[in-house]
Amino acid sequence: MKKKVAFYTIGCKLNYAETSTISRKFSNFYYQHVSFKEYADIYVINSCSVTKNAENEFKRIIRSALSKNNKAFIIAIGCYAQLNPKKVYSIIGVNLVLNDDEKYRIIDFVNGYEHKQKYNNKKNYSYYSSYSIGENRTRSFLKIQDGCDYKCSYCIIPQSRGPSRSDYISNILNKIKIIFKKGIKEIVLTGINIGDYGKINGNSKYTFFDLIQSIEDNIKEGGRIRLSSIEPNLLKNKHIEFLSKSKFFVPHFHIPLQSGSNKILGYMRRRYKKELFLEKVKFIRYLMPYSYIGSDVIVGYPGETYKYFIETYNFLEELDISSIHIFTYSSRQNTLSSSITNGICNIKIKKKRNKILRLLSNKKYIFFCKNQLFTKKTVLFEKFSSDKNYLYGYTENYIRAKIRINKISILYRNTLQNVVLNKIDNKDGIVIVKKLI
Ligand code: SF4
């Protein structure tokens, strides 16, 4: 009988790309993929270390796996596993912890070809190409870069993911062609610091501009391409100009701000000031007025006084962006900010600030959508609502959209359809669209 194997991913798009690649290694007659909600013989959990919450979620997921099969073989991979293998191995239920190199040889460990170690303290920072093919098979996350050479004071990623390194342009072009050939309509170029794309074996071989130019010149057909998060100091005006004329890249930017106070940005060791961020947003809006611009902000960083928080709030309120992801600061061991003892915000204040910015983000997103009602867009339809009344998708500029199911629209899943944005559904804030004839 085939062994059942289930996967769970915590964290970023890169983790999703890697889980998917690793899960494909189990695609032969000895294993049957099952949903994580089901009984399995082996559970593989791809962990994250970015926040304390991600670590807690990892423990919760282990408990959930054990509740389905208390004799399951549980394998931990990913950032948290790589960062702290001994600690992860000590968590009840974990049978094996694999580092970043070993996780791509997972099948050898499962089949017993590799010696039966439980965890390995050695870190490995090779580059492994990865892309996801989700259950819906509509969108794929394609890894182009890994690791980070920056030293933002709060961030643990450089310790878990290692130095910045990239895939060859030729490999990326090949992968894009393969993914589009599989019928996937959208690819998200993913990495830890994609603006720093181009380092191979420690040498700068290409630039991010080389990559986007090569994609535009060499990809002849397929769907659309989206960029994941890019640092504001690495997003150059020539990139924005180029992307504004692209036939493949959609008008979508995610640019992490982290704070609207230059003082806090300095404490965080970010490599820009808020004025540069504003300049980027204005330039995007000038060339692509309807582009989606998302951002990340951390609240409650040590030293974020009321005055600095208000500075952030005021800056964001004025900023013409489409939405904000808000993170509550949590100290990560061995980061620069973990040793700060002054100016620590209490949890109540952090939660309040988080809520205030979430409300602001909602306001901005609704404004962004309202501004575009009755305009034409293209939606990639991805999944049905649980009651099967609607089919959901995203426009090129990342507006969440839905269409009522009828005998024609039911066929739209995994297709790009030209639509008009009709109205915002007050119940869920999703834009209802009508198909253009
Ligand atoms: S740019 Fe800063 S926040 Fe982003 S991964 Fe690198 S160190 Fe972390």
Short mmCIF file of all heavy atoms in Angstrom, two decimals, residues 148-152 154-158 192-193 231 258 270, ligand 1:
data_model
loop_
_atom_site.label_atom_id
_atom_site.label_comp_id
_atom_site.label_asym_id
_atom_site.label_seq_id
_atom_site.Cartn_x
_atom_site.Cartn_y
_atom_site.Cartn_z
N CYS A 148 19.92 37.04 1.89
CA CYS A 148 19.97 38.51 1.92
C CYS A 148 21.28 38.98 2.54
O CYS A 148 21.72 38.45 3.55
CB CYS A 148 18.78 39.03 2.72
SG CYS A 148 18.68 40.82 2.69
N ASP A 149 21.88 40.01 1.90
CA ASP A 149 23.12 40.58 2.43
C ASP A 149 22.87 41.82 3.29
O ASP A 149 23.81 42.44 3.77
CB ASP A 149 24.06 40.97 1.27
CG ASP A 149 24.57 39.75 0.54
OD1 ASP A 149 24.53 38.65 1.12
OD2 ASP A 149 24.98 39.89 -0.63
N TYR A 150 21.61 42.21 3.42
CA TYR A 150 21.30 43.39 4.24
C TYR A 150 21.32 42.98 5.72
O TYR A 150 21.29 41.80 6.04
CB TYR A 150 19.91 43.93 3.87
CG TYR A 150 19.89 44.76 2.59
CD1 TYR A 150 20.90 44.64 1.65
CD2 TYR A 150 18.86 45.64 2.34
CE1 TYR A 150 20.88 45.39 0.48
CE2 TYR A 150 18.83 46.41 1.17
CZ TYR A 150 19.84 46.27 0.25
OH TYR A 150 19.81 47.01 -0.89
N LYS A 151 21.34 44.01 6.54
CA LYS A 151 21.40 43.71 7.98
C LYS A 151 20.36 44.53 8.75
O LYS A 151 20.69 45.23 9.69
CB LYS A 151 22.81 44.01 8.51
CG LYS A 151 23.84 43.04 7.94
CD LYS A 151 25.20 43.17 8.58
CE LYS A 151 26.12 42.05 8.16
NZ LYS A 151 26.20 41.83 6.70
N CYS A 152 19.13 44.44 8.32
CA CYS A 152 18.08 45.16 9.02
C CYS A 152 18.06 44.64 10.46
O CYS A 152 18.13 43.42 10.68
CB CYS A 152 16.73 44.96 8.35
SG CYS A 152 16.77 45.48 6.63
N TYR A 154 16.10 44.11 12.87
CA TYR A 154 15.08 43.24 13.46
C TYR A 154 15.01 41.88 12.77
O TYR A 154 14.25 41.01 13.18
CB TYR A 154 13.69 43.91 13.34
CG TYR A 154 13.40 44.32 11.92
CD1 TYR A 154 12.86 43.42 11.02
CD2 TYR A 154 13.72 45.60 11.47
CE1 TYR A 154 12.63 43.79 9.71
CE2 TYR A 154 13.50 45.98 10.16
CZ TYR A 154 12.96 45.06 9.28
OH TYR A 154 12.76 45.41 7.97
N CYS A 155 15.78 41.70 11.70
CA CYS A 155 15.48 40.60 10.80
C CYS A 155 16.40 39.39 11.00
O CYS A 155 17.62 39.51 11.06
CB CYS A 155 15.58 41.08 9.36
SG CYS A 155 15.11 39.81 8.18
N ILE A 156 15.78 38.25 11.06
CA ILE A 156 16.52 37.01 11.30
C ILE A 156 16.80 36.26 10.00
O ILE A 156 17.58 35.30 9.96
CB ILE A 156 15.72 36.15 12.30
CG1 ILE A 156 16.62 35.09 12.91
CG2 ILE A 156 14.50 35.54 11.69
CD1 ILE A 156 16.30 34.76 14.31
N ILE A 157 16.19 36.72 8.92
CA ILE A 157 16.28 35.97 7.65
C ILE A 157 17.72 35.76 7.18
O ILE A 157 18.08 34.64 6.78
CB ILE A 157 15.41 36.63 6.56
CG1 ILE A 157 13.94 36.51 6.95
CG2 ILE A 157 15.65 35.98 5.20
CD1 ILE A 157 12.98 37.17 5.99
N PRO A 158 18.60 36.78 7.23
CA PRO A 158 19.97 36.51 6.76
C PRO A 158 20.63 35.35 7.52
O PRO A 158 21.46 34.63 6.97
CB PRO A 158 20.70 37.83 7.03
CG PRO A 158 19.62 38.86 7.00
CD PRO A 158 18.42 38.18 7.60
N ILE A 192 14.01 36.51 -1.50
CA ILE A 192 14.05 37.21 -0.21
C ILE A 192 14.29 38.69 -0.46
O ILE A 192 13.68 39.55 0.17
CB ILE A 192 15.17 36.61 0.68
CG1 ILE A 192 14.84 35.15 1.03
CG2 ILE A 192 15.37 37.45 1.94
CD1 ILE A 192 13.61 34.94 1.88
N ASN A 193 15.19 38.99 -1.39
CA ASN A 193 15.50 40.39 -1.71
C ASN A 193 15.69 40.47 -3.22
O ASN A 193 16.83 40.52 -3.71
CB ASN A 193 16.76 40.81 -0.93
CG ASN A 193 17.02 42.29 -1.02
OD1 ASN A 193 16.39 43.00 -1.80
ND2 ASN A 193 17.95 42.77 -0.21
N GLU A 231 12.70 45.97 -2.32
CA GLU A 231 13.16 47.04 -1.42
C GLU A 231 13.11 48.39 -2.15
O GLU A 231 13.52 48.48 -3.32
CB GLU A 231 14.59 46.77 -0.97
CG GLU A 231 14.73 45.62 -0.01
CD GLU A 231 14.12 45.92 1.34
OE1 GLU A 231 14.53 46.89 2.00
OE2 GLU A 231 13.20 45.17 1.75
N GLN A 258 8.15 49.79 6.28
CA GLN A 258 8.48 49.43 7.68
C GLN A 258 8.23 50.54 8.69
O GLN A 258 7.75 50.29 9.78
CB GLN A 258 9.90 48.88 7.86
CG GLN A 258 10.28 47.75 6.90
CD GLN A 258 9.35 46.55 6.88
OE1 GLN A 258 8.22 46.65 7.34
NE2 GLN A 258 9.78 45.44 6.33
N ARG A 270 17.45 50.40 7.93
CA ARG A 270 16.94 50.33 6.57
C ARG A 270 17.79 51.28 5.72
O ARG A 270 18.41 52.20 6.22
CB ARG A 270 15.46 50.75 6.55
CG ARG A 270 14.59 49.88 7.43
CD ARG A 270 14.37 48.51 6.89
NE ARG A 270 13.50 48.52 5.73
CZ ARG A 270 13.37 47.48 4.90
NH1 ARG A 270 14.08 46.38 5.08
NH2 ARG A 270 12.54 47.54 3.87
S1 SF4 B 1 16.13 43.37 3.33
FE1 SF4 B 1 16.18 43.50 5.57
S2 SF4 B 1 14.13 42.79 6.17
FE2 SF4 B 1 14.44 42.08 4.09
S3 SF4 B 1 15.29 40.01 4.30
FE3 SF4 B 1 17.02 41.41 4.13
S4 SF4 B 1 17.59 41.88 6.23
FE4 SF4 B 1 15.53 41.01 6.28
#
